[in-house]
Amino acid sequence: MTSRTIPKLAIIIPCYNEELCVKTTAEKLLEVINTLVEKKKITPDSYLYFVDDGSKDKTWSIIEELHKSNTLIKGTKFIRNFGNQRALIAGLESVREIGCDCVVSIDADLQQDEWAIEQFIDEYMNGYDIVLGIRNDRKTDSFFKKFTAEAFYKTMKLLGANIPMNHSDYRLVSKRTLDIMSAFSEKLFFLRGFFNEIGLPTTHVNFNVKKRMAGCSKFNFPSLMALALNGITSYSVVPLRFVAVLGFFMALFGFGIGIETVIEKLFWHNSPNGWATNIIVMSAFGGIQLFCLGIIGEYVGQLYREVKSRPRYIKDIELL
């Protein structure tokens, strides 16, 4: 581990319709920054960077007012909603251009403990380039959300993308990490997989999750499912191998049924009975084939979106 100088910190806060939270969030995070500056753990020019992901409420106008009162509050507004992952990527790319030594990403509702940032900085000073925030438990989640989250992490691990359990997008990364990230040109970028596989010195910090201060979560089941599918198709080809293996065994099973039919006809002069069985087998095989086509379709769709090479996001306004 190399020794480091006191870093300039940037904090990224992606927002979507967070007018009830954004002002309080800015005040609390500025308090964290001021405390860390007083402790001489970060430089006085450390700043906040809000990314308004096409909000339809007053989120952006509040950010503009905050910027007028304090130039350490910066931000950008998307021309429309592009999604949380792209908002995070925009924030990471923007603070790299503005300048920083390390950057922390955190949700706008501040359910993640903002004071854990001090521990992130301590680990950065110990020489780590990536510090992952790992939540201690999921007591604030509903049963359904807890079940689907655990299923996601276990599925990703089974498919080869070994993402730490209970890590979302609360993390610190160094400028060195941002420089490496800039070399990756793929449009559908799955950040959790990227930071896990990059190979830089990595550690983690545990934190507690609080209740949301206001409003409701903007994540729903379809958006979480899209994130999971993007992660799987970005970092694993195991599903495609599963399709190949399943196809082989289906063909083997069909070959066995064919041999049985011939034997019954030659030796017992019987045509195999079981109209209902045939219908069930045909329906099952048809469903399996459609399922396999769906898996292949996800990968084809991923390639289709990458080949078109459309921009990840479009900025409308930026405050520096």
Side-chain angles (χ1 to χ4, degrees):
M1 301 290 183
T2 57
S3 59
R4 288 170 165 166
T5 58
I6 298 175
K8 177 179 179 179
L9 173 67
I11 302 178
I12 299 170
I13 312 100
C15 308
Y16 180 64
N17 293 341
E18 296 287 3
E19 63 179 1
L20 299 177
C21 295
V22 65
K23 185 174 181 180
T24 304
T25 296
E27 292 171 352
K28 290 186 175 182
L29 290 176
L30 284 175
E31 182 182 355
V32 172
I33 285 179
N34 291 333
T35 300
L36 294 179
V37 169
E38 290 175 4
K39 292 183 177 181
K40 298 184 179 179
K41 291 192 172 185
I42 60 175
T43 61
D45 55 349
S46 298
Y47 58 93
L48 308 181
Y49 192 90
F50 287 90
V51 182
D52 184 352
D53 188 19
S55 296
K56 294 177 172 55
D57 60 5
K58 297 179 181 179
T59 298
W60 181 247
S61 61
I62 295 172
I63 294 172
E64 286 182 314
E65 290 300 318
L66 292 170
H67 173 72
K68 290 177 182 177
S69 62
N70 190 337
T71 56
L72 294 180
I73 298 176
K74 310 178 190 298
T76 190
K77 176 179 172 59
F78 286 174
I79 200 166
R80 66 169 177 84
N81 180 253
F82 284 91
N84 179 264
Q85 284 290 290
R86 299 191 184 195
L88 283 170
I89 292 168
L92 293 170
E93 292 178 338
S94 297
V95 299
R96 177 175 177 266
E97 293 176 1
I98 295 170
C100 67
D101 297 306
C102 57
V103 53
V104 170
S105 56
I106 190 170
D107 291 345
D109 56 18
L110 285 193
Q111 281 191 278
Q112 299 136 330
D113 180 13
E114 67 273 16
W115 291 104
I117 293 175
E118 182 173 0
Q119 294 175 264
F120 287 2
I121 295 295
D122 292 339
E123 295 295 348
Y124 168 82
M125 294 301 291
N126 287 334
Y128 289 100
D129 286 291
I130 301 172
V131 184
L132 306 177
I134 307 292
R135 58 191 296 173
N136 287 319
D137 53 60
R138 290 189 168 272
K139 293 179 180 178
T140 58
D141 288 349
S142 64
F143 171 80
F144 178 74
K145 188 173 182 180
K146 186 186 300 183
F147 173 78
T148 53
E150 290 179 358
F152 167 74
Y153 288 110
K154 290 178 180 178
T155 301
M156 292 299 292
K157 184 175 183 179
L158 182 66
L159 296 179
N162 192 19
I163 300 172
M165 181 72 77
N166 292 332
H167 168 61
S168 54
D169 286 304
Y170 187 29
R171 70 176 72 86
L172 175 147
V173 299
S174 65
K175 172 65 162 51
R176 179 187 177 193
T177 309
L178 296 179
D179 291 340
I180 294 173
M181 178 181 159
S182 67
F184 285 67
S185 59
E186 59 196 82
K187 302 302 178 184
L188 297 173
F189 211 40
F190 184 60
L191 292 173
R192 298 181 206 182
F194 166 75
F195 291 123
N196 180 64
E197 75 159 12
I198 195 173
L200 291 175
T202 303
T203 188
H204 71 272
V205 166
N206 292 94
F207 67 93
N208 293 317
V209 177
K210 301 173 290 186
K211 290 184 178 180
R212 187 180 174 90
M213 68 174 80
C216 58
S217 174
K218 307 307 182 294
F219 280 104
N220 50 36
F221 182 73
S223 63
L224 291 173
M225 181 60 70
L227 178 64
L229 288 174
N230 180 39
I232 291 169
T233 54
S234 294
Y235 282 91
S236 178
V237 295
V238 172
L240 293 177
R241 291 173 182 166
F242 168 76
V243 168
V245 172
L246 186 61
F248 171 78
F249 282 107
M250 286 176 63
L252 193 64
F253 179 76
F255 182 69
I257 293 294
I259 292 176
E260 181 193 3
T261 302
V262 171
I263 291 174
E264 285 191 29
K265 186 68 175 177
L266 291 178
F267 292 94
W268 290 281
H269 305 288
N270 291 329
S271 295
N273 295 320
W275 172 255
T277 302
N278 289 335
I279 294 298
I280 292 170
V281 170
M282 289 176 63
S283 298
F285 276 23
I288 292 171
Q289 288 173 336
L290 290 174
F291 173 71
C292 293
L293 284 173
I295 292 176
I296 296 170
E298 283 295 326
Y299 282 90
V300 173
Q302 187 90 330
L303 289 171
Y304 173 68
R305 291 188 290 268
E306 288 290 345
V307 167
K308 287 192 296 185
S309 196
R310 292 178 177 174
R312 291 173 178 152
Y313 52 84
I314 302 172
K315 291 182 180 181
D316 187 17
I317 309 170
E318 188 166 22
L319 304 173
L320 300 176

